[in-house]
Amino acid sequence: MPNRLAHATSPYLLQHADNPVDWWQWEPAAFDEARRRGVPVFLSVGYSSCHWCHVLAHESFEDELTAEYMNEHFVNIKVDREERPDVDAVYMEAVQAATGQGGWPMSVFMTAEAEPFYFGTYFPPEPRHGMPSFMQVLEGVHAAWTGRREEVGEVAQKITRDLAGRAFSTEGTGRPTEESQANALLALTRDYDPASGWFGGGDTKFPPSMIVEFLLRHHARTGAEGAREMAEGACGAMAHASLFDQIGGGFHRYVLRQHAGGALVPHFEKMLYDNALLCRVYAHLWRATGSGLARRVALETADFMVRELRTDQGGFASALDADSEDPLTGEHVEGAYYAWTPAQLREVLGEDDGDLAAGYFGVTEEGTFEHGASVLQLPQDGPAVEAGRLAGIKERLLAARGRRPAPGRDDKIVAAWNGLAIAALAECGAYFERPDLVERATEAADLLVRVHMDGRARLSRTSKDGQVGTNDGVLEDYGDVADGFLALASVTGEGVWLEFAGFLVDLVMDRFTAEDGSLYDTAHDAEKLIRRPQDPTDTAAPSGWTAAAGALLSYAAHTGSEAHRTAAERALGVVHALGPRVPRFIGHGLSVAEALLDGPREVAVVGHPEDPALALLHRTALLGTAPGAVVAVGLPRTADGAGGEFPLLAERTLVHDLPTAYVCRHFVCARPTTEPVELAEQLGGIRP
């Protein structure tokens, strides 16, 4: 019989609806039940595309004897970390503090007051590699609960007090400066390997999208060649490695070097946030350098998102699983969808093209992955292939792969990640003259307004199949969605998106901001947890704190609002404090700080909508590399509010009745220009 999760909207929770475990969702009734029965709570947190979450479920949660023990001695709660990032953040902080590491699946044992006392991640079904089995953990916790209840309670209370005492403050930190940004760059230089193009030591390499954005902005503002070289090196390394799907576009979650000197092998899940961030970064790299590689990767990633993540409602699904069915064995294994042998290439392409593709993509007889298969990459010493022939090879391989059993898709729409996708697709569409991508961005934005935003402009975190979820939006939702709307406003010239962004940043100021200007991840009226989550550092996506700061700053540039600019500056104090010390963990904040130091510049492009010269000036403005520049385009706006939809267009006039651009920053405006070349000189970047 299905358990309580059968009524969930999360695809991850629905995957556990047929477990013999008597799962609860995170709700007061679950904790009431634990009090009534006098048992502890077991909290299991994961997400749909998490490989080891599936392994733990198969090994333990689907096992009748294990489930029977869990049901008898615990109240068991299952949480999708993507639906409840607040719950995940609070207890992950406890896990990391207690064990020195974290990850998913996350396993936490707690009292009926939600106070944690024992932690872990994945536990195997039998003891191995120094880890106890999951059943041993359950039995040990039960023994402690029944035999040493007072001691367990003291531990839980101490952990809760320690967590509650942690808080970030911007009091006295000051805003980012030239010196603090330069020191952050210096720290990154020490952490960068120019030979490989990757940051940091160790064998696991995550895509440094937010750091690359900072490096591009820093180079644009200061001319520091080292910043540009690191950005190009990192993007080159990612694009050539198996991190990038060489025939289908888009990026996997990370790559791992399995043994000394061995090939980098991906962890194969594909996340919307990674691909949205990297799509935008490669588009910005092209904007700065004209790199053909950057253009190709940006467009192939955009096309991947539209082809494989777009839902029937016009939004973008959260992820594709790492695992899929192996056609030969029928088992779900990681990477089965993406790996190839030379024989498989020849079967699809024929002998000549198959051998050529094997050399070009690094597919060997020995294999670089498992069972003699290889994951496609672009070795530096691979053969040159004529562009038309290569396009045909990739097209045939993609079609053949499409006939394999596909990875599962988490169709949940997450507001924040769709905000990231909206910004990336809108800008790619404008840069590369792909109006279809702008249309897809607009449709996703429409979905967020229709489904995720209520009458007070408050956001819901998720939806699925057009039905809104029950969880409130968190700070990253407000920051990323507002940023997406602002990017869409600049690209389309539709002022309604600036208006919607204004609603969201006002709610950030009213509901998420402390008196000292620091920000919380949840609103002041959100569900009370054992601590109010608050973290300015990036994870795989921008922190809500710095995403909101960026949206506040851009909105202030569009409107001239001192209140919003002051809020942004106060929030960015944490970047001044952390940037020089841990730049890899606050890359998005460093990027926003570059915009602050540059102005950001305000660009008004006025003219008649049907005039092609206006479109050329507008595109030139969008192609400018000045960090965080905001662009408004349309008819001049008269003193009585008629005409253009943006405040920046107020009382702008056409020079010689020609479309005209105005560039201003720090209350000083450059000479109005009707010439794209002159505008490009004022903003940096390339002329279209």
Side-chain angles (χ1 to χ4, degrees):
M1 292 290 293
N3 56 45
R4 293 178 186 82
L5 301 187
H7 305 293
T9 57
S10 159
Y12 174 65
L13 298 189
L14 289 171
Q15 289 169 359
H16 294 78
D18 293 320
N19 291 169
V21 178
D22 186 21
W23 291 113
W24 295 71
Q25 295 192 58
W26 181 277
E27 55 187 316
F31 293 95
D32 291 341
E33 177 69 3
R35 291 187 196 94
R36 185 187 69 79
R37 290 174 49 196
V39 298
V41 170
F42 170 62
L43 170 67
S44 177
V45 181
Y47 57 103
S48 178
S49 57
C50 166
H51 171 73
W52 288 102
C53 299
H54 295 307
V55 173
L56 178 62
H58 177 67
E59 293 174 340
S60 296
F61 302 152
E62 295 174 11
D63 179 72
E64 294 284 352
L65 292 178
T66 303
E68 183 179 352
Y69 193 90
M70 292 171 68
N71 295 338
E72 181 178 356
H73 299 295
F74 302 90
V75 166
N76 304 288
I77 297 178
K78 175 61 73 174
V79 164
D80 181 343
R81 66 175 288 263
E82 296 172 350
E83 276 198 331
R84 291 301 303 263
D86 52 340
V87 172
D88 176 64
V90 167
Y91 292 100
M92 183 59 72
E93 190 172 2
V95 172
Q96 291 172 330
T99 68
Q101 60 185 5
W104 299 274
M106 177 169 62
S107 303
V108 181
F109 295 88
M110 62 182 73
T111 69
E113 308 309 316
E115 297 174 334
F117 61 85
Y118 189 79
F119 317 91
T121 52
Y122 164 78
F123 294 105
E126 298 90 20
R128 68 170 75 119
H129 307 306
M131 290 187 294
S133 71
F134 185 59
M135 181 58 79
Q136 286 176 325
V137 171
L138 294 174
E139 291 171 342
V141 170
H142 172 63
W145 181 262
T146 55
R148 306 192 304 276
R149 179 79 61 86
E150 184 175 341
E151 179 184 339
V152 168
E154 290 173 355
V155 169
Q157 290 172 11
K158 181 181 185 304
I159 292 171
T160 302
R161 285 195 303 271
D162 290 345
L163 289 174
R166 299 183 178 200
F168 291 92
S169 174
T170 60
E171 195 71 48
T173 55
R175 52 176 273 172
T177 63
E178 295 276 358
E179 182 181 11
S180 65
Q181 294 291 99
N183 286 337
L185 177 65
L186 181 61
L188 285 171
T189 302
R190 297 191 187 106
D191 206 23
Y192 176 71
D193 176 15
S196 69
W198 297 98
F199 286 93
D203 290 331
T204 303
K205 303 297 184 184
F206 289 88
S209 52
M210 292 162 279
I211 286 301
V212 173
E213 182 67 28
F214 159 61
L215 293 171
L216 290 172
R217 287 188 173 195
H218 188 78
H219 172 256
R221 186 178 64 82
T222 68
E225 285 300 316
R228 180 188 58 77
E229 290 169 1
M230 283 192 286
E232 288 186 299
C235 286
M238 290 188 287
H240 282 84
S242 57
L243 181 74
F244 184 65
D245 181 349
Q246 302 295 341
I247 62 171
F251 289 85
H252 300 294
R253 183 67 198 92
Y254 59 84
V255 284
L256 174 68
R257 195 177 302 281
Q258 291 191 323
H259 53 83
L264 290 169
V265 174
H267 181 49
F268 290 90
E269 61 188 339
K270 284 183 169 181
M271 311 302 296
L272 174 60
Y273 50 74
D274 281 327
N275 283 283
L277 289 166
L278 288 163
C279 178
R280 199 177 189 187
V281 159
Y282 278 90
H284 290 175
L285 178 62
W286 171 83
R287 183 177 65 176
T289 66
S291 162
L293 174 68
R295 183 183 191 278
R296 176 177 66 81
V297 172
L299 282 172
E300 289 183 4
T301 303
D303 287 336
F304 154 72
M305 288 192 289
V306 172
R307 183 181 68 246
E308 298 191 35
L309 294 181
R310 187 170 180 268
T311 69
D312 292 341
Q313 293 73 39
F316 291 90
S318 297
L320 298 181
D321 286 355
D323 301 358
S324 59
E325 182 182 319
D326 186 325
L328 297 178
T329 66
E331 297 180 357
H332 271 70
V333 296
E334 188 172 7
Y337 190 67
Y338 301 100
W340 296 83
T341 64
Q344 288 172 328
L345 293 178
R346 289 191 290 267
E347 181 181 354
V348 173
L349 302 172
E351 290 291 330
D352 290 345
D353 280 356
D355 290 341
L356 182 66
Y360 186 80
F361 291 120
V363 177
T364 67
E365 294 293 342
E366 298 78 16
T368 59
F369 181 46
E370 295 174 354
H371 310 298
S374 299
V375 188
L376 306 189
Q377 56 188 314
L378 295 181
Q380 298 292 342
D381 57 353
V385 182
E386 187 270 326
R389 187 178 183 185
L390 178 61
I393 286 172
K394 292 172 67 172
E395 184 178 345
R396 284 184 284 164
L397 289 177
L398 184 61
R401 195 176 74 180
R403 294 189 286 272
R404 295 177 174 180
R409 188 173 80 166
D410 185 336
D411 284 334
K412 176 175 72 270
I413 304 296
V414 175
W417 307 344
N418 274 256
L420 298 174
I422 289 164
L425 293 173
E427 290 183 353
C428 274
Y431 298 168
F432 305 124
E433 298 180 288
R434 285 278 303 274
D436 59 305
L437 296 180
V438 179
E439 290 174 12
R440 301 295 86 76
T442 303
E443 289 162 355
D446 285 337
L447 174 71
L448 292 181
V449 172
R450 290 195 330 268
V451 176
H452 286 247
M453 190 180 288
D454 69 12
R456 296 177 294 171
R458 296 190 177 195
L459 287 172
S460 291
R461 171 73 173 171
T462 62
S463 69
K464 187 176 183 298
D465 300 328
Q467 299 299 311
V468 69
T470 59
N471 299 304
D472 294 337
V474 295
L475 182 61
E476 70 162 340
D477 294 305
Y478 285 84
D480 288 337
V481 172
D483 183 64
F485 287 172
L486 290 165
L488 195 58
S490 288
V491 166
T492 64
E494 297 176 2
V496 65
W497 300 117
L498 175 64
E499 185 178 354
F500 281 130
F503 296 152
L504 298 178
V505 294
D506 284 347
L507 287 170
V508 168
M509 295 173 66
D510 292 342
R511 303 178 64 229
F512 293 86
T513 305
E515 290 186 4
D516 66 355
S518 57
L519 297 169
Y520 286 96
D521 293 333
T522 55
H524 62 73
D525 54 352
E527 177 189 350
K528 298 298 185 288
L529 303 174
I530 57 173
R531 72 161 293 207
R532 190 176 178 188
Q534 179 192 46
D535 190 353
T537 59
D538 300 327
T539 53
S543 72
W545 186 316
T546 57
L552 286 162
L553 184 65
S554 295
Y555 184 77
H558 264 293
T559 62
S561 167
E562 278 301 313
H564 292 89
R565 183 178 178 90
T566 298
E569 290 183 348
R570 295 177 75 193
L572 289 173
V574 74
V575 180
H576 178 74
L578 296 181
R581 293 193 286 121
V582 287
R584 286 176 59 202
F585 298 97
I586 199 160
H588 188 73
L590 291 168
S591 297
V592 177
E594 288 295 326
L596 177 69
L597 290 171
D598 195 66
R601 298 183 213 195
E602 305 145 5
V603 188
V605 185
V606 292
H608 301 291
E610 65 276 8
D611 191 335
L614 177 69
L616 183 58
L617 269 185
H618 179 210
R619 185 160 178 258
T620 303
L622 294 172
L623 289 173
T625 57
V630 300
V631 178
V633 62
L635 291 167
R637 188 174 187 176
T638 61
D640 61 2
E645 300 183 42
F646 294 86
L648 285 178
L649 303 178
E651 300 185 54
R652 307 290 189 183
T653 58
L654 278 65
V655 175
H656 305 308
D657 201 34
L658 296 172
T660 305
Y662 295 78
V663 179
C664 306
R665 63 170 172 165
H666 301 310
F667 308 104
V668 177
C669 295
R671 183 181 67 179
T673 182
T674 61
E675 295 296 329
V677 172
E678 186 175 2
L679 178 58
E681 289 172 353
Q682 293 177 5
L683 292 173
I686 59 176
R687 180 187 172 185

